Structures are given as structure tokens and as C-alpha cells.
Amino acid sequence: MPLVNTVEMFKKAYAGGYAVGAFNVNNMEIVQGITEACQELKAPVILQVSAGARKYANHTYLTKLVEAAVIENPDIPIALHLDHGSSYELCKDCIDGGFTSVMYDGSSKPYEENVEEARKVAEYAHKYNVTVEAELGKLAGVEDDVKVEDDKAQFTDPDEVQDFVKRTGVDSLAIAIGTSHGAYKFKPGQNPKLRLDILQEVAVRLPGFPIVLHGASSVIPEFVQQINQYGGQMPDAIGIPEEMLREAAKMAVCKINVDSDLRLAMTASIRKYFAENPSHFDPRQYLAPARTAIKDMVAHKITTVLGCAGKA
């Protein structure tokens, strides 16, 4: 099937009490690992590209990789999504370049400016059957070009969501309920906790409307341990407990973003391979098991966190 937008994905996810995985991609092995897992488990998937990934791999290379994934995995719906589009111009460029979904992130801007820009993006995108995600609230952490200090983070205000969605016409909304970008989401001794009360209140204000969680990697401990075992230095990397994410997926959350866990799975595999095979230098030798590590991690997310196996 051709690339799709997220309308039907989210409608089914909301009704079925599960979420669709939105996995960040920037090279061939990551695209392959993600989509092979989804094809085997018959799970819908969103392949998302950040501005940083476009700088690294080039828009054309990325879209062609995704087109190849569509051909090779014909039984699953795949959406191509822009993650954290910082401007109308960037969103427009991706829409014109074949993306089926875009995120406009104006969360760092004043409320009225966020509303106006998101509305402008939605008006343009809907002309081309492209869905739009926006963000209210501000997540802490670091992801590519997105950097927010802990003291600048703020939870989403449920009182704003109805006004925002009505005035912008966006199709989904990313909210801040305690997730955080990057691998260092919490300090040692902190008790990771999602504000499911805010999520519930948002769901009451916007019945049936799809909600998105950014910064939702769990920073799987086995990968951190393996990275450190084989020469890495990632002390105190802590993520979101998977059981909390599963609860959110049973509620109004229809899309859960995963990026750091992909990076950790790939890096852990490569570090281990290098340590065990010091004479090898062919990239195919170490990228093949890295691709398998990504595939296994995505399969784990689908079955344990997202609940979307068999929902293609």
C-alpha cells in the first residue's frame, strides 16, 4: 500500500486502546530494522524524520529509503512524518517533498504565535491530505535541535487544549505530562512518573482526539549496561517506565515517539561487536547485528508498550 497519513491509524488506535509507534530514522539499517519488525507483527508504523536527520542524511535519501520500505513491507500502513518542525517553511518543504504527516512545534513560542503558525501549517497541509501534529506544553531534555532546560519545562494546561485545537484545526496534539527528551530524563533517586491525571483531563476536554507523547523512550537498562560494559560512559541514564507508557496508550495517547532507545540498541550492539571482533572492518559485519538489535527492540515495544501487534 502507498504511504498513508495518520487519520485512520489514530482513529483505530483510540478506539482500540493502543498506540502507534513513531520511530525516528536517519539511515538504511534503522529503517529496515523498524519496518521488518512491524511487517512480521502486522503493526502500523510512523517513520519520523527530524530536522537533524534531514541535515545528516538528506531529504531525498530519506524519502527514497522510506519508499523502499513501503515496497518491501506491503502489508502494513506506513506514515512518513516530520518530527519537531520548527517553522512553517520547514513543514511546507516536507509536505511538498512527499511527507504524509508533519509536526509543527511552536511550544517554545508565545501561545498566540503558536496558534497562528500551527493554523497556517494545518491549512496548507490539509490541501494535500497531510495530517498535522502540534505541541502544547514544553518538554525538558535534548533531542537534535530541541533543547529545553529543566526549569523551563512546563506541563500542558488542560484549559488551553480546546481553544488551541479549535483555532488551529490540527489533527493531533503532543502534550507534556512528565516525559523528557534524551537518555537522561531523571536524576538518580527520582521517581519517574507520568501525570496521567493531566492526560485524563485533556481526554475529557477533547473526547476522541488523538494525543501524542514525545520523549517517551524507556532508556532500556540492558542497552545502557552493555554500552558501559564495552567502553561507553553513560552513567545515570534513566527513562520512562514502560508500564506507565502502556497505561497512557490505553487512554487517549495514539502515538508514542521512540528515538533514544533506537540509538541505544544500535550503539550497544556495535560496541559489543567491536570489542569481540577487533580485526573486523567491514561495516556490513557490525551493522547487520545492529539492524537486528533495532528490530528486536521495536518488536518488544510493539508487544509490551504500544499494544499494536496485529492492528495493521
Side-chain angles (χ1 to χ4, degrees):
M1 66 178 73
L3 282 171
V4 301
N5 65 26
T6 59
V7 171
E8 287 302 314
M9 281 186 183
F10 291 170
K11 190 180 298 183
K12 292 176 180 177
Y14 202 107
Y18 64 87
V20 179
F23 299 95
N24 285 69
V25 299
N26 50 59
N27 70 11
M28 182 184 74
E29 286 77 15
I30 293 174
V31 171
Q32 289 175 326
I34 294 166
T35 53
E36 286 173 12
C38 293
Q39 175 75 8
E40 288 185 10
L41 292 171
K42 297 295 182 286
V45 66
I46 299 165
L47 300 178
Q48 59 184 24
V49 174
S50 67
R54 288 179 88 230
K55 291 175 186 174
Y56 170 76
N58 182 287
H59 176 102
T60 304
Y61 282 106
L62 288 170
T63 55
K64 294 304 179 183
L65 284 171
V66 173
E67 287 176 16
V70 170
I71 293 169
E72 292 297 317
N73 302 280
D75 301 324
I76 58 171
I78 300 175
L80 176 55
H81 176 75
L82 170 66
D83 189 27
H84 289 290
S86 58
S87 67
Y88 170 81
E89 290 74 21
L90 176 55
C91 291
K92 181 180 182 298
D93 193 41
C94 288
I95 294 165
D96 295 343
F99 282 50
T100 56
S101 179
V102 296
M103 178 202 185
Y104 170 70
D105 182 2
S107 59
S108 63
K109 299 176 181 178
Y111 179 77
E112 288 299 328
E113 188 175 343
N114 190 4
V115 168
E116 179 56 27
E117 287 294 297
R119 181 195 61 76
K120 187 178 175 184
V121 171
E123 285 184 354
Y124 186 80
H126 291 162
K127 294 177 185 177
Y128 301 95
N129 199 30
V130 173
T131 42
V132 177
E133 172 189 331
E135 182 166 337
L136 266 182
K138 197 180 298 183
L139 272 67
V142 178
E143 181 185 2
D144 285 353
D145 295 333
V146 180
K147 297 179 178 65
V148 178
E149 300 294 332
D150 287 350
D151 60 353
K152 299 290 177 60
Q154 53 191 238
F155 291 117
T156 298
D157 183 352
D159 289 336
E160 293 179 339
V161 295
Q162 284 171 297
D163 176 72
F164 187 88
V165 169
K166 181 179 179 180
R167 291 172 60 191
T168 61
V170 297
D171 305 286
S172 62
L173 188 65
I175 64 172
I177 60 170
T179 55
S180 175
H181 290 126
Y184 301 91
K185 303 180 190 297
F186 302 98
K187 293 180 173 61
Q190 280 186 315
N191 182 27
K193 185 177 181 181
L194 295 185
R195 289 289 304 275
L196 296 180
D197 58 319
I198 294 177
L199 175 59
Q200 180 58 38
E201 183 60 27
V202 169
V204 169
R205 304 290 182 96
L206 296 172
F209 192 80
I211 300 302
V212 176
L213 285 188
H214 285 245
S217 283
S218 298
V219 189
I220 298 174
E222 68 183 80
F223 296 143
V224 176
Q225 181 181 354
Q226 188 169 313
I227 288 170
N228 291 334
Q229 179 183 350
Y230 292 103
Q233 295 183 3
M234 293 193 67
D236 305 329
I238 302 171
I240 308 296
E242 291 186 330
E243 61 271 17
M244 291 184 183
L245 296 171
R246 185 71 194 100
E247 284 303 309
K250 292 176 182 177
M251 300 168 66
V253 171
C254 296
K255 172 178 178 271
I256 293 180
N257 288 14
V258 179
D259 187 8
S260 293
D261 283 339
L262 292 168
R263 301 179 184 190
L264 291 169
M266 190 169 202
T267 299
S269 172
I270 291 172
R271 278 192 173 277
K272 182 174 186 288
Y273 190 93
F274 282 162
E276 295 177 347
N277 302 277
S279 66
H280 290 187
F281 61 91
D282 184 344
R284 293 171 296 182
Q285 293 174 309
Y286 56 83
L287 289 176
R291 178 174 56 198
T292 299
I294 287 172
K295 178 180 177 181
D296 292 344
M297 190 278 294
V298 171
H300 165 78
K301 292 288 183 182
I302 289 169
T303 55
T304 304
V305 178
L306 301 164
C308 61
K311 306 298 184 181

